[in-house]
Coordinates of all heavy atoms in Angstrom, one line a residue:
M1 N 227.4 162.7 271.7 CA 228.0 163.7 270.8 C 229.3 163.4 270.3 O 229.6 163.7 269.2 CB 228.0 165.0 271.6 CG 228.2 166.3 270.7 SD 226.8 166.5 269.5 CE 227.5 167.8 268.5
K2 N 230.1 162.6 271.1 CA 231.4 162.2 270.6 C 231.3 161.3 269.4 O 232.1 161.3 268.5 CB 232.2 161.5 271.8 CG 232.8 162.5 272.7 CD 233.6 161.7 273.8 CE 234.2 162.7 274.8 NZ 234.9 162.0 275.9
Y3 N 230.2 160.4 269.4 CA 230.1 159.4 268.3 C 229.9 160.1 267.1 O 230.3 159.6 266.0 CB 229.0 158.5 268.7 CG 229.3 157.6 269.8 CD1 228.6 157.7 271.1 CD2 230.2 156.6 269.8 CE1 228.9 156.9 272.2 CE2 230.5 155.8 270.9 CZ 229.8 156.0 272.1 OH 230.1 155.1 273.1
L4 N 229.2 161.2 267.1 CA 229.0 161.9 265.8 C 230.3 162.4 265.1 O 230.4 162.4 264.0 CB 228.1 163.1 266.1 CG 226.6 162.8 266.3 CD1 225.8 164.1 266.5 CD2 226.0 162.1 265.0
L5 N 231.3 162.7 266.1 CA 232.6 163.1 265.5 C 233.4 161.9 265.0 O 234.2 161.9 264.2 CB 233.3 163.9 266.6 CG 232.8 165.2 266.9 CD1 233.5 165.9 268.1 CD2 232.8 166.2 265.7
L6 N 233.3 160.8 265.9 CA 234.1 159.6 265.6 C 233.6 158.8 264.4 O 234.4 158.2 263.6 CB 234.1 158.6 266.8 CG 235.0 159.1 267.9 CD1 234.8 158.2 269.1 CD2 236.5 159.1 267.5
L7 N 232.3 158.8 264.1 CA 231.7 157.9 263.1 C 232.4 158.3 261.6 O 232.8 157.4 260.9 CB 230.2 158.1 263.1 CG 229.5 157.2 262.1 CD1 229.7 155.7 262.5 CD2 228.0 157.4 262.0
P8 N 232.4 159.6 261.3 CA 233.0 159.8 259.9 C 234.4 159.4 259.9 O 234.9 159.0 258.9 CB 232.9 161.4 259.8 CG 231.8 161.7 260.7 CD 231.9 160.8 261.9
L9 N 235.2 159.5 261.0 CA 236.6 159.1 261.0 C 236.7 157.6 260.9 O 237.6 157.1 260.1 CB 237.3 159.5 262.3 CG 237.6 161.1 262.4 CD1 238.1 161.4 263.8 CD2 238.4 161.6 261.3
V10 N 235.9 156.8 261.5 CA 235.9 155.4 261.4 C 235.6 155.0 260.0 O 236.2 154.1 259.4 CB 235.0 154.8 262.4 CG1 234.8 153.3 262.2 CG2 235.4 155.0 263.9
L11 N 234.5 155.6 259.4 CA 234.2 155.3 258.1 C 235.3 155.6 257.1 O 235.6 154.9 256.2 CB 232.9 156.0 257.7 CG 231.6 155.6 258.4 CD1 230.4 156.4 258.0 CD2 231.3 154.1 257.9
L12 N 236.0 156.7 257.3 CA 237.0 157.1 256.5 C 238.2 156.2 256.6 O 238.8 155.7 255.5 CB 237.5 158.5 256.8 CG 238.7 159.0 256.0 CD1 238.2 159.3 254.6 CD2 239.4 160.3 256.6
A13 N 238.5 155.7 257.8 CA 239.6 154.7 257.9 C 239.2 153.4 257.3 O 240.0 152.8 256.6 CB 239.9 154.5 259.5
L14 N 238.0 152.9 257.4 CA 237.5 151.7 256.7 C 237.6 151.8 255.2 O 238.1 150.9 254.6 CB 236.1 151.4 257.2 CG 235.9 150.7 258.6 CD1 234.4 150.6 258.9 CD2 236.5 149.3 258.6
W15 N 237.3 153.0 254.8 CA 237.3 153.1 253.3 C 238.7 153.1 252.8 O 239.0 152.5 251.8 CB 236.6 154.5 253.0 CG 236.6 154.8 251.5 CD1 235.9 154.2 250.5 CD2 237.4 155.8 250.8 NE1 236.2 154.7 249.3 CE2 237.1 155.7 249.5 CE3 238.4 156.7 251.3 CZ2 237.8 156.5 248.6 CZ3 239.0 157.5 250.4 CH2 238.7 157.4 249.0
L16 N 239.6 153.8 253.6 CA 241.0 153.7 253.1 C 241.6 152.3 253.2 O 242.3 151.9 252.3 CB 241.8 154.6 254.1 CG 241.7 156.1 253.9 CD1 242.4 156.9 254.9 CD2 242.1 156.5 252.4
I17 N 241.3 151.5 254.2 CA 241.8 150.2 254.3 C 241.3 149.3 253.2 O 242.0 148.6 252.5 CB 241.4 149.6 255.7 CG1 242.2 150.3 256.8 CG2 241.6 148.1 255.7 CD1 241.7 149.9 258.2
L18 N 239.9 149.4 252.9 CA 239.3 148.6 251.8 C 239.9 149.0 250.5 O 240.1 148.3 249.6 CB 237.8 148.8 251.8 CG 237.1 148.2 253.0 CD1 235.6 148.4 253.0 CD2 237.4 146.6 253.0
R19 N 240.2 150.3 250.3 CA 240.7 150.7 249.0 C 242.2 150.2 248.8 O 242.5 149.9 247.7 CB 240.6 152.3 248.9 CG 240.7 152.8 247.5 CD 240.7 154.3 247.5 NE 241.9 154.8 248.1 CZ 242.4 156.0 247.8 NH1 241.7 156.8 247.1 NH2 243.4 156.5 248.5
Q20 N 242.9 150.2 249.9 CA 244.3 149.7 249.8 C 244.3 148.2 249.5 O 245.1 147.8 248.6 CB 245.0 149.9 251.1 CG 245.6 151.4 251.2 CD 246.5 151.5 252.5 OE1 246.5 150.7 253.3 NE2 247.2 152.6 252.5
R21 N 243.4 147.5 250.1 CA 243.3 146.1 249.9 C 243.0 145.8 248.4 O 243.6 144.9 247.7 CB 242.4 145.3 250.8 CG 242.8 145.2 252.2 CD 241.8 144.4 253.0 NE 242.2 144.2 254.4 CZ 241.6 143.7 255.3 NH1 240.3 143.3 255.0 NH2 242.0 143.6 256.5
G22 N 242.0 146.6 247.9 CA 241.6 146.4 246.5 C 242.7 146.7 245.6 O 243.0 145.9 244.6
S23 N 243.5 147.7 245.8 CA 244.6 148.1 244.9 C 245.7 147.0 244.9 O 246.3 146.8 244.0 CB 245.1 149.5 245.2 OG 245.7 149.5 246.4
H24 N 246.0 146.5 246.1 CA 247.0 145.5 246.3 C 246.6 144.2 245.5 O 247.5 143.6 244.9 CB 247.2 145.1 247.7 CG 248.1 146.1 248.5 ND1 249.3 146.4 248.0 CD2 247.9 146.7 249.6 CE1 249.8 147.2 248.9 NE2 249.0 147.5 249.8
R25 N 245.3 143.9 245.5 CA 244.9 142.7 244.8 C 245.1 142.9 243.2 O 245.7 142.0 242.6 CB 243.4 142.5 245.0 CG 243.1 141.7 246.2 CD 241.6 141.5 246.4 NE 241.3 141.1 247.7 CZ 240.1 141.2 248.3 NH1 239.1 141.6 247.5 NH2 239.9 140.8 249.6
V26 N 244.8 144.1 242.8 CA 244.9 144.4 241.3 C 246.5 144.4 241.0 O 246.8 143.8 240.0 CB 244.3 145.8 241.0 CG1 244.6 146.1 239.6 CG2 242.8 145.6 241.2
Q27 N 247.3 145.0 241.8 CA 248.7 145.0 241.5 C 249.3 143.7 241.6 O 250.2 143.3 240.8 CB 249.4 146.0 242.5 CG 249.1 147.4 242.2 CD 249.8 148.3 243.3 OE1 250.3 147.8 244.3 NE2 249.7 149.6 243.2
G28 N 248.9 142.8 242.5 CA 249.4 141.4 242.7 C 249.1 140.5 241.5 O 249.9 139.7 241.1
K29 N 248.0 140.8 240.8 CA 247.6 139.9 239.7 C 248.6 140.1 238.6 O 249.0 139.2 238.0 CB 246.2 140.2 239.2 CG 245.2 139.5 240.1 CD 243.8 139.7 239.4 CE 242.7 139.0 240.3 NZ 241.3 139.3 239.8
D30 N 248.8 141.3 238.2 CA 249.5 141.5 236.9 C 251.0 141.1 237.0 O 251.5 140.2 236.3 CB 249.4 143.0 236.5 CG 248.0 143.2 236.0 OD1 247.3 142.2 235.5 OD2 247.5 144.4 236.0
P31 N 251.9 141.8 237.8 CA 253.4 141.5 237.6 C 253.9 140.4 238.4 O 254.8 139.7 238.0 CB 254.0 142.9 238.0 CG 253.0 143.4 238.9 CD 251.7 142.8 238.7
A32 N 253.3 140.1 239.5 CA 253.9 139.2 240.5 C 253.8 137.7 240.1 O 254.6 136.9 240.2 CB 253.3 139.5 241.9
H33 N 252.5 137.3 239.8 CA 252.2 135.9 239.8 C 252.9 135.1 238.5 O 253.6 134.2 238.6 CB 250.7 135.6 239.8 CG 250.2 135.8 241.2 ND1 250.6 134.9 242.2 CD2 249.4 136.7 241.8 CE1 249.9 135.4 243.3 NE2 249.2 136.4 243.1
H34 N 252.5 135.6 237.4 CA 252.7 134.7 236.2 C 254.1 135.0 235.5 O 254.7 134.1 235.1 CB 251.6 134.9 235.2 CG 250.3 134.3 235.7 ND1 250.0 133.0 235.8 CD2 249.2 135.0 236.1 CE1 248.8 132.8 236.3 NE2 248.3 134.0 236.5
K35 N 254.4 136.3 235.4 CA 255.6 136.6 234.6 C 256.9 135.9 235.1 O 257.6 135.3 234.3 CB 255.8 138.1 234.4 CG 254.7 138.7 233.4 CD 255.0 140.1 233.2 CE 254.0 140.7 232.2 NZ 254.2 142.1 231.9
P36 N 257.3 136.0 236.4 CA 258.6 135.5 236.8 C 258.6 134.0 236.5 O 259.6 133.4 236.0 CB 258.8 135.8 238.2 CG 257.9 137.0 238.4 CD 256.7 136.7 237.5
E37 N 257.6 133.3 236.9 CA 257.6 131.8 236.7 C 257.6 131.4 235.2 O 258.1 130.4 234.8 CB 256.3 131.2 237.4 CG 256.4 131.4 238.9 CD 255.2 130.8 239.5 OE1 254.3 130.3 238.9 OE2 255.0 131.0 240.8
A38 N 257.0 132.3 234.4 CA 257.0 132.0 233.0 C 258.3 132.3 232.3 O 258.7 131.6 231.4 CB 255.9 132.8 232.2
V39 N 259.1 133.2 232.8 CA 260.3 133.6 232.2 C 261.4 132.7 232.7 O 262.3 132.3 231.8 CB 260.6 135.1 232.5 CG1 262.1 135.4 232.1 CG2 259.7 136.0 231.8
D40 N 261.5 132.3 233.9 CA 262.6 131.6 234.5 C 262.9 130.3 233.7 O 264.0 130.0 233.4 CB 262.5 131.4 235.9 CG 262.8 132.6 236.7 OD1 263.5 133.5 236.2 OD2 262.4 132.7 237.9
P41 N 261.9 129.4 233.5 CA 262.2 128.1 232.8 C 262.8 128.4 231.4 O 263.8 127.6 231.1 CB 260.9 127.5 232.7 CG 260.0 128.1 233.8 CD 260.5 129.5 233.8
T42 N 262.3 129.2 230.7 CA 262.9 129.5 229.3 C 264.3 130.0 229.4 O 265.2 129.7 228.6 CB 262.0 130.4 228.5 OG1 261.9 131.7 229.3 CG2 260.6 129.9 228.3
A43 N 264.6 130.9 230.4 CA 266.0 131.4 230.5 C 266.9 130.3 231.0 O 268.0 130.3 230.6 CB 265.9 132.6 231.5
A44 N 266.4 129.5 231.9 CA 267.3 128.4 232.4 C 267.6 127.3 231.3 O 268.7 126.8 231.2 CB 266.6 127.7 233.6
Q45 N 266.6 127.0 230.5 CA 266.8 126.0 229.4 C 267.7 126.6 228.3 O 268.8 126.1 228.2 CB 265.5 125.7 228.8 CG 264.6 124.8 229.7 CD 263.3 124.5 229.1 OE1 263.0 125.0 227.9 NE2 262.5 123.7 229.8
S46 N 267.3 127.6 227.7 CA 268.1 128.2 226.6 C 268.8 127.2 225.7 O 269.9 127.2 225.6 CB 269.1 129.3 227.1 OG 270.0 128.6 227.9
P47 N 268.0 126.2 225.1 CA 268.7 125.1 224.4 C 269.3 125.6 223.1 O 270.2 124.8 222.6 CB 267.5 124.2 224.1 CG 266.2 125.1 224.0 CD 266.6 126.3 224.9
T48 N 268.9 126.7 222.6 CA 269.5 127.1 221.2 C 270.4 128.3 221.3 O 270.6 129.0 220.4 CB 268.3 127.4 220.3 OG1 267.6 128.4 220.8 CG2 267.5 126.2 220.0
E49 N 271.0 128.4 222.5 CA 272.0 129.5 222.7 C 273.3 129.2 221.8 O 273.8 128.1 221.8 CB 272.4 129.7 224.1 CG 273.3 130.9 224.3 CD 273.8 131.0 225.7 OE1 273.4 130.1 226.5 OE2 274.6 131.8 226.0
I50 N 273.6 130.2 220.9 CA 274.7 130.0 220.0 C 275.9 130.7 220.6 O 275.9 131.9 221.0 CB 274.3 130.6 218.7 CG1 273.1 129.9 218.1 CG2 275.5 130.4 217.7 CD1 273.2 128.4 217.8
I51 N 277.0 130.0 220.6 CA 278.3 130.5 221.1 C 279.3 130.4 219.9 O 279.0 129.8 218.9 CB 278.7 129.8 222.4 CG1 278.9 128.4 222.1 CG2 277.9 130.1 223.5 CD1 280.3 127.9 221.8
E52 N 280.5 131.1 220.2 CA 281.4 131.1 219.1 C 282.7 130.4 219.6 O 283.1 130.6 220.7 CB 281.8 132.6 218.9 CG 282.7 132.8 217.7 CD 283.0 134.3 217.5 OE1 283.9 134.9 218.1 OE2 282.2 134.9 216.7
C53 N 283.3 129.5 218.7 CA 284.5 128.8 219.1 C 285.6 129.9 219.2 O 285.8 130.7 218.4 CB 284.8 127.8 218.0 SG 286.5 127.1 218.3
A54 N 286.3 129.8 220.3 CA 287.4 130.8 220.6 C 288.6 130.5 219.7 O 289.5 131.4 219.6 CB 287.9 130.7 222.0
R55 N 288.7 129.5 219.0 CA 289.8 129.1 218.1 C 289.6 129.5 216.6 O 290.3 130.2 216.0 CB 290.2 127.6 218.3 CG 291.2 127.1 217.3 CD 292.5 127.6 217.7 NE 293.6 127.0 216.8 CZ 293.9 127.3 215.6 NH1 293.2 128.3 215.0 NH2 294.9 126.7 215.0
C56 N 288.4 129.0 216.1 CA 288.2 129.2 214.7 C 287.0 130.1 214.4 O 286.6 130.3 213.3 CB 288.0 127.9 214.0 SG 286.4 127.0 214.5
T57 N 286.3 130.6 215.5 CA 285.1 131.5 215.5 C 283.9 130.9 214.8 O 283.0 131.6 214.3 CB 285.5 132.9 214.9 OG1 285.7 132.6 213.4 CG2 286.7 133.5 215.5
V58 N 283.8 129.6 214.7 CA 282.6 129.0 214.1 C 281.6 129.0 215.2 O 281.8 129.1 216.4 CB 283.0 127.5 213.6 CG1 283.0 126.6 214.8 CG2 281.8 127.1 212.8
H59 N 280.4 129.2 214.7 CA 279.2 129.3 215.6 C 278.5 128.0 215.7 O 278.3 127.3 214.8 CB 278.2 130.4 215.1 CG 278.7 131.8 215.2 ND1 279.6 132.3 214.4 CD2 278.5 132.7 216.1 CE1 279.8 133.6 214.6 NE2 279.2 133.8 215.8
L60 N 278.2 127.7 217.0 CA 277.5 126.4 217.3 C 276.7 126.5 218.5 O 277.0 127.3 219.4 CB 278.6 125.2 217.4 CG 279.5 125.3 218.6 CD1 280.1 123.9 218.9 CD2 280.6 126.3 218.4
P61 N 275.7 125.5 218.7 CA 275.0 125.6 220.0 C 275.9 125.3 221.1 O 276.8 124.5 221.1 CB 273.9 124.4 219.7 CG 273.9 124.2 218.3 CD 275.3 124.6 217.8
R62 N 275.5 125.9 222.3 CA 276.3 125.8 223.5 C 276.3 124.4 223.9 O 277.3 123.9 224.5 CB 275.7 126.6 224.6 CG 276.5 126.5 225.9 CD 275.7 127.4 226.9 NE 276.1 128.8 226.9 CZ 277.1 129.4 227.4 NH1 278.0 128.7 228.1 NH2 277.3 130.6 227.3
T63 N 275.2 123.6 223.6 CA 275.2 122.2 224.0 C 276.2 121.4 223.3 O 276.6 120.4 223.8 CB 273.7 121.7 223.9 OG1 273.3 121.9 222.5 CG2 272.7 122.3 224.9
D64 N 276.6 121.8 222.1 CA 277.5 121.0 221.4 C 279.0 121.5 221.6 O 280.0 120.9 221.1 CB 277.3 121.1 219.8 CG 275.9 120.4 219.6 OD1 275.4 119.6 220.4 OD2 275.3 120.7 218.5
A65 N 279.1 122.6 222.3 CA 280.5 123.1 222.5 C 281.2 122.5 223.5 O 280.7 121.8 224.4 CB 280.3 124.6 222.9
V66 N 282.6 122.6 223.5 CA 283.5 122.1 224.5 C 283.9 123.2 225.4 O 284.5 124.2 224.9 CB 284.7 121.4 223.9 CG1 285.6 120.9 224.9 CG2 284.2 120.3 222.9
A67 N 283.7 123.1 226.7 CA 284.0 124.2 227.6 C 285.5 124.2 227.8 O 286.1 123.1 228.1 CB 283.3 124.1 228.9
G68 N 286.1 125.4 227.8 CA 287.6 125.5 228.1 C 287.8 126.4 229.2 O 286.9 126.7 230.1
L69 N 289.1 126.8 229.4 CA 289.5 127.6 230.5 C 288.9 129.1 230.3 O 288.6 129.4 229.2 CB 291.0 127.7 230.6 CG 291.7 126.4 230.9 CD1 293.2 126.5 231.0 CD2 291.2 125.8 232.4
H70 N 288.8 129.8 231.4 CA 288.5 131.2 231.3 C 287.1 131.4 230.7 O 286.8 132.5 230.1 CB 289.5 132.1 230.6 CG 290.9 131.7 231.0 ND1 291.3 132.0 232.3 CD2 291.9 131.2 230.3 CE1 292.7 131.6 232.4 NE2 293.0 131.2 231.1
G71 N 286.2 130.4 230.8 CA 284.8 130.7 230.3 C 284.8 130.6 228.8 O 283.7 131.0 228.3
L72 N 285.8 130.2 228.2 CA 285.8 130.1 226.6 C 285.1 128.8 226.3 O 285.1 127.9 227.0 CB 287.2 130.2 226.2 CG 287.9 131.6 226.4 CD1 289.4 131.5 225.9 CD2 287.1 132.7 225.7
H73 N 284.7 128.8 225.0 CA 284.0 127.6 224.4 C 284.7 127.3 223.1 O 285.1 128.2 222.3 CB 282.6 127.7 224.3 CG 281.9 128.0 225.6 ND1 281.5 126.9 226.4 CD2 281.5 129.1 226.2 CE1 280.9 127.3 227.5 NE2 281.0 128.6 227.4
Y74 N 284.8 126.0 222.7 CA 285.4 125.6 221.5 C 284.5 124.6 220.7 O 283.6 124.0 221.4 CB 286.7 124.9 221.8 CG 287.7 125.9 222.5 CD1 287.8 125.8 223.9 CD2 288.5 126.7 221.7 CE1 288.6 126.7 224.5 CE2 289.4 127.6 222.5 CZ 289.4 127.6 223.9 OH 290.3 128.4 224.5
C75 N 284.7 124.5 219.5 CA 283.8 123.6 218.7 C 284.2 122.2 218.8 O 283.4 121.3 218.5 CB 283.9 124.1 217.2 SG 285.5 123.9 216.4
S76 N 285.4 121.9 219.3 CA 285.8 120.5 219.3 C 287.0 120.5 220.4 O 287.7 121.5 220.8 CB 286.4 120.1 218.0 OG 287.5 120.8 217.6
L77 N 287.2 119.3 220.7 CA 288.4 119.0 221.7 C 289.7 119.4 221.1 O 290.6 119.9 221.7 CB 288.4 117.5 222.1 CG 287.7 117.2 223.4 CD1 287.7 115.7 223.6 CD2 288.3 117.9 224.6
A78 N 289.8 119.2 219.7 CA 291.1 119.5 219.1 C 291.4 121.0 219.1 O 292.5 121.4 219.4 CB 291.0 119.0 217.6
H79 N 290.4 121.8 219.0 CA 290.5 123.2 219.0 C 290.9 123.7 220.4 O 291.6 124.7 220.6 CB 289.3 124.0 218.3 CG 289.4 124.0 216.9 ND1 288.5 124.7 216.1 CD2 290.4 123.6 216.0 CE1 288.8 124.6 214.8 NE2 290.0 123.9 214.7
R80 N 290.2 123.0 221.4 CA 290.5 123.5 222.8 C 291.9 123.2 223.1 O 292.7 124.0 223.7 CB 289.5 122.7 223.7 CG 289.6 123.3 225.1 CD 288.8 122.5 226.1 NE 289.6 121.4 226.7 CZ 289.3 120.6 227.6 NH1 288.1 120.8 228.3 NH2 290.0 119.6 228.0
Q81 N 292.4 122.0 222.7 CA 293.8 121.6 223.0 C 294.7 122.5 222.3 O 295.8 122.9 222.8 CB 293.9 120.2 222.7 CG 293.2 119.1 223.6 CD 293.3 117.8 223.0 OE1 293.8 117.4 221.9 NE2 292.8 116.8 223.9
D82 N 294.3 122.8 221.0 CA 295.2 123.7 220.2 C 295.3 125.1 220.8 O 296.4 125.7 220.9 CB 294.7 123.8 218.8 CG 295.7 124.4 217.9 OD1 296.9 124.3 218.1 OD2 295.2 125.1 216.8
A83 N 294.2 125.6 221.3 CA 294.2 127.0 221.9 C 294.8 127.0 223.3 O 295.5 128.0 223.7 CB 292.8 127.5 221.9
E84 N 294.6 126.0 224.1 CA 295.1 126.0 225.5 C 296.5 125.3 225.6 O 297.0 125.3 226.7 CB 294.0 125.4 226.4 CG 292.7 126.2 226.4 CD 291.7 125.5 227.3 OE1 292.0 124.4 227.8 OE2 290.6 126.2 227.5
G85 N 296.9 124.6 224.6 CA 298.2 124.0 224.6 C 298.2 122.8 225.5 O 299.3 122.5 226.1
A86 N 297.1 122.2 225.8 CA 297.1 121.1 226.7 C 296.9 119.8 225.9 O 296.2 119.6 225.1 CB 295.9 121.2 227.7
Ligands
ZN101 ZN1 286.8 125.7 216.4

């Protein structure tokens, strides 16, 4: 007689466990796997990021800029030396 009471509870527990596993699989597919790996390389590269010269405000790619003090960027060494007085 006890088994008749336990059986529905066991089946209910199994159903809940299986349903949770199924929903985790569905959630894992969409946001977790592909998007972060696809976004990170493009964000790290950013080859065409445009910055502004702190001296003459001309715009140029960051790869062509001269890094200065305080995180500033300049279009040339001459402008960096002119702005920083070095
Ligand atoms: Zn400049």
